[in-house]
């Protein structure tokens, strides 16, 4: 099922028992964020949360943890909520093969119902803003899709960007945005500033669930997120043009904010409790001037709690980090079988591959580090044999326990780039990266004494199916 807006997806979550309506009055801080912090601890079937009785706010409606479980993530892709993580990644790969699917331009977007323009803009009147963690330096918007174009080639839809970035609210019409150097918006901003210009952007909140997934997918620079959304939805993604700057935005958004990143202007932003589970400090960041806000009647503010894993962001950025890495590796190394980059947005990547010859695994690991996402994220790469499931941590630990010899199987490469938010970096943005070869040595590498490995019995899979059925019947 393809969802055109957040509201229709919330209805599905509700009908599937995956939405909890918090009817009691709650405090904006800490209750809303604390509940969203707690929800993923309920496990892979954790529900989304809906608040509409927040003390001190009138008609506030806040949705949290919308993507915060494998059950919710499966429903976002139109899959049964029982679909496991490996099956969801496999389906994601299958749908990626349909990419690109051109978006559909639609008129009369629901977000055009209300408007604030220029000096009348007051974001505090539109959004029920709250802090997420005690140490946050202010109110943040952290689950919005930010749309921008390449200033040097604005007509090339492939070079436009739809991304999720943290945004601090600095005033009634002023925001701060962090453009991570490895992300497309940083390239757009650099080009605008080199030309002495501001960068027009649109910030859309309360999007359909697939838009949030593609906006957090590490695609290549000239790949269009809306065209991936169409492939994942199985139908063209509906878009409309923003009224002020003519940027393509999701048709079904709750709120559309238009403005500019002011060229060569920076102000202190932060700290903020990040996806790494650590606070980032205060740093000079870009400044956004809001020029127009368009919004639905009684807009739903979709927010995202971040903290020590797993939180919603870890589900949101799991499958969609694995798949582009898999696709990029598979082009160069057809032997690659699977990629697990579900941990902290791929700061650790686990790759299973058939080994062509001695040293092959280390070459695969080096290629991970040079992918667009690997450049800024992959700090540790673990390479395992083709018969080891990288999504099965006991099997990965077995490979590390029995295949990896620290003498020769650890490759440490100094002074490579990583996003500045990585807390292990020293200085910020620089880290030594590590490749761990946990594969069985093959000629001409003859280290170790492996003999014949014990393999699963041929009848195992048949019995696995039978036992699964028997167990289900006994419940």
């Amino acid at each position: 099922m393809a969802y055109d807006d957040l509201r229709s997806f919330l209805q599905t979550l509700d009908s599937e028992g995956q939405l909890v309506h918090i009817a009691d009055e709650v405090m904006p801080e800490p209750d809303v964020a604390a509940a969203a912090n707690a929800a993923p601890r309920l496990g892979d079937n954790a529900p989304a949360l809906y608040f509409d009785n927040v003390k001190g706010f009138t008609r506030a409606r806040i949705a949290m943890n919308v993507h915060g479980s494998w059950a919710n993530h499966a429903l976002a892709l139109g899959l049964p909520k029982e679909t496991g993580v490996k099956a969801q990644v496999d389906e994601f790969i299958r749908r990626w093969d349909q990419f690109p699917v051109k978006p559909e331009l639609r008129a009369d977007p629901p977000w055009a119902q209300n408007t604030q323009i220029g000096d009348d803009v007051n974001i505090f009147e539109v959004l029920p803003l709250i802090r997420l963690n005690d140490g946050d330096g202010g109110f943040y918007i952290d689950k919005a899709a930010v749309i921008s174009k390449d200033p040097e080639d604005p007509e090339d839809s492939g070079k436009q960007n739809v991304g999720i970035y943290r945004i601090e609210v600095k005033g009634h019409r002023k925001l701060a945005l962090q453009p991570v150097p490895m992300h497309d918006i940083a390239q757009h901003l650099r080009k605008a500033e080199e030309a002495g210009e501001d960068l027009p952007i649109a910030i859309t909140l309360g999007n359909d669930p697939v838009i949030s997934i593609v906006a957090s997918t590490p695609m290549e620079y000239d790949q269009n997120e809306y065209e991936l959304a169409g492939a994942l939805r199985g139908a063209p993604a509906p878009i409309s043009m923003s009224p002020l700057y003519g940027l393509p935005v999701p048709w079904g958004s709750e709120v559309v904010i238009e403005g500019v990143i002011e060229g060569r202007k920076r102000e202190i932003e932060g700290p903020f409790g990040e996806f790494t589970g650590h606070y980032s400090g205060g740093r000079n960041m870009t400044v956004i001037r809001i020029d127009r806000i368009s919004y639905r009647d009684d807009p739903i503010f979709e927010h995202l709690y971040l903290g020590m894993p797993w939180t919603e962001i870890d589900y949101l950025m799991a499958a969609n980090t694995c798949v582009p890495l898999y696709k990029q590796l598979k082009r160069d190394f057809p032997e690659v079988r699977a990629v697990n980059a579900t941990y902290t947005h791929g700061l650790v990547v686990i790759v299973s591959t058939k080994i062509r010859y001695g040293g092959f695994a280390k070459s695969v690991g080096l290629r991970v580090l040079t992918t667009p996402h690997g450049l800024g994220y992959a700090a540790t790469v673990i390479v395992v044999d083709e018969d080891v499931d990288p999504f099965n941590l006991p099997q990965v630990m077995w490979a590390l326990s029995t295949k990896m010899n620290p003498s020769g199987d650890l490759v440490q490469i100094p002074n490579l780039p990583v996003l500045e938010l990585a807390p292990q970096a020293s200085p910020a943005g620089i880290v030594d990266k590590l490749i761990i070869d946990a594969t069985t040595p093959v000629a001409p590498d003859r280290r170790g004494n492996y003999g014949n490995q014990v393999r699963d019995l041929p009848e195992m899979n048949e019995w696995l199916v039978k036992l699964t059925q028997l167990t289900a019947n006994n419940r």
Side-chain angles (χ1 to χ4, degrees):
M1 176 179 179
Y3 301 97
D4 288 348
D5 62 6
L6 173 64
R7 299 184 186 201
S8 60
F9 183 54
L10 292 177
Q11 290 173 357
T12 293
L13 291 177
D14 195 14
S15 65
E16 291 281 348
Q18 290 297 126
L19 179 69
V20 173
H21 185 168
I22 312 295
D24 294 340
E25 183 180 69
V26 299
M27 294 295 294
E29 297 178 15
D31 287 341
V32 174
N37 185 183
R41 308 294 170 91
L42 298 176
D44 288 346
N45 294 315
L49 308 177
Y50 184 81
F51 301 87
D52 61 2
N53 189 4
V54 182
K55 186 177 178 62
F57 288 100
T58 302
R59 303 177 71 84
R61 304 202 293 175
I62 303 175
M64 304 286 290
N65 208 53
V66 171
H67 291 81
S69 65
W70 286 119
N72 288 9
H73 190 274
L75 292 170
L77 295 175
L79 300 170
K81 67 179 182 180
E82 299 83 11
T83 309
V85 53
K86 182 68 164 54
Q88 290 192 46
V89 171
D90 289 343
E91 179 62 14
F92 204 119
I93 292 171
R94 188 191 69 77
R95 295 186 190 183
W96 188 295
D97 291 337
Q98 309 305 311
F99 169 78
V101 175
K102 296 291 184 183
E104 172 188 75
L105 186 63
R106 288 190 191 173
D108 301 320
W111 47 258
Q113 292 170 332
N114 304 277
T115 301
Q116 293 181 352
I117 301 175
D119 290 337
D120 292 330
V121 165
N122 188 343
I123 195 171
F124 298 103
E125 293 178 353
V126 179
L127 300 177
L129 297 166
I130 60 170
R131 287 185 307 162
L132 292 167
N133 283 299
D134 293 338
D136 288 350
F139 300 130
Y140 273 84
I141 298 169
D142 64 349
K143 201 180 180 184
V146 181
I147 296 93
S148 59
K149 289 186 176 183
D150 185 327
E152 295 179 351
D153 197 3
E155 300 307 314
D156 187 337
S157 63
K159 294 179 182 177
Q160 74 183 23
N161 181 57
V162 183
I164 291 182
Y165 310 99
R166 79 186 210 197
I167 300 168
E168 184 177 4
V169 178
K170 303 294 290 289
H172 68 282
R173 61 175 300 195
K174 184 167 75 169
L175 309 171
L177 180 142
Q178 176 184 242
V180 174
M182 296 81 180
H183 292 168
D184 292 354
I185 196 170
Q187 298 191 52
H188 292 175
L189 178 60
R190 174 182 57 79
K191 293 179 180 183
E193 290 187 323
E194 287 175 351
E197 299 172 350
D198 298 334
L199 180 68
I201 61 170
I203 301 168
T204 69
L205 294 85
N207 301 300
D208 78 69
V210 170
I211 290 297
S212 295
I213 291 172
V214 299
S216 54
T217 299
M219 301 179 69
E220 296 179 50
Y221 183 71
D222 59 355
Q223 291 180 328
N224 183 298
E225 285 82 6
Y226 293 130
E227 293 177 352
L228 176 59
L232 295 180
R233 287 162 45 91
I239 62 171
S240 296
M241 305 309 291
S242 68
L244 189 59
Y245 291 119
L247 292 165
V249 298
W251 176 86
S253 300
E254 295 286 317
V255 179
V256 174
I257 299 171
E258 292 182 87
V260 297
I261 300 179
E262 297 183 290
R264 300 186 181 277
K265 187 173 182 179
R266 303 291 188 272
E267 290 185 3
I268 291 294
E269 179 264 4
F272 181 58
E274 264 290 353
F275 75 95
T276 62
H278 295 77
Y279 286 100
S280 57
R283 287 172 293 168
N284 277 329
M285 289 296 170
T286 62
V287 176
I288 297 170
R289 183 192 72 233
I290 303 175
D291 295 323
R292 182 182 180 118
I293 302 180
S294 306
Y295 56 98
R296 297 182 72 158
D297 292 338
D298 298 325
I300 299 172
F301 179 36
E302 187 186 7
H303 215 349
L304 175 75
Y305 177 79
L306 305 90
M308 184 175 177
W310 275 47
T311 65
E312 181 185 357
I313 198 167
D314 297 289
Y315 291 99
L316 177 63
M317 301 194 305
N320 62 354
T321 304
C322 301
V323 177
L325 281 172
Y326 169 81
K327 286 290 188 179
Q328 292 155 19
L329 290 174
K330 193 77 172 175
R331 282 198 307 243
D332 299 330
F333 298 101
E335 294 83 1
V336 167
R337 296 294 184 259
V339 176
N340 181 355
T342 63
Y343 302 105
T344 321
H345 205 12
L347 284 173
V348 172
V349 178
I350 308 168
V351 181
S352 67
T353 182
K354 183 178 181 180
I355 303 302
R356 199 187 310 171
Y357 39 70
F360 187 80
K362 297 179 180 65
S363 299
V364 172
L366 288 168
R367 181 67 184 96
V368 172
L369 301 183
T370 59
T371 60
H373 191 68
L375 284 170
Y377 287 82
T380 300
V381 182
I382 303 170
V383 187
V384 296
D385 286 320
E386 64 178 312
D387 60 351
V388 174
D389 180 358
F391 294 91
N392 185 322
L393 287 189
Q395 290 188 12
V396 174
M397 292 305 298
W398 169 77
L400 287 172
S401 301
T402 63
K403 310 285 187 178
M404 188 272 293
N405 184 339
S407 175
D409 286 335
L410 302 179
V411 180
Q412 183 174 334
I413 308 171
N415 301 324
L416 290 183
V418 73
L419 79 163
E420 292 184 352
L421 296 176
Q424 68 265 51
S426 181
I430 295 293
V431 73
D432 286 12
K433 295 193 174 184
L434 179 66
I435 298 170
I436 302 175
D437 183 351
T439 62
T440 307
V442 300
D445 185 356
R446 304 189 184 281
R447 294 172 300 141
N449 301 280
Y450 289 97
N452 292 322
Q453 182 176 310
V454 177
R455 306 288 179 183
D456 289 335
L457 295 172
E459 300 81 8
M460 187 276 291
N461 284 327
E462 177 184 342
W463 270 99
L464 180 60
V465 173
K466 185 180 297 186
L467 291 173
T468 300
Q469 293 173 341
L470 289 172
T471 303
N473 292 337
N474 288 335
R475 287 176 182 167

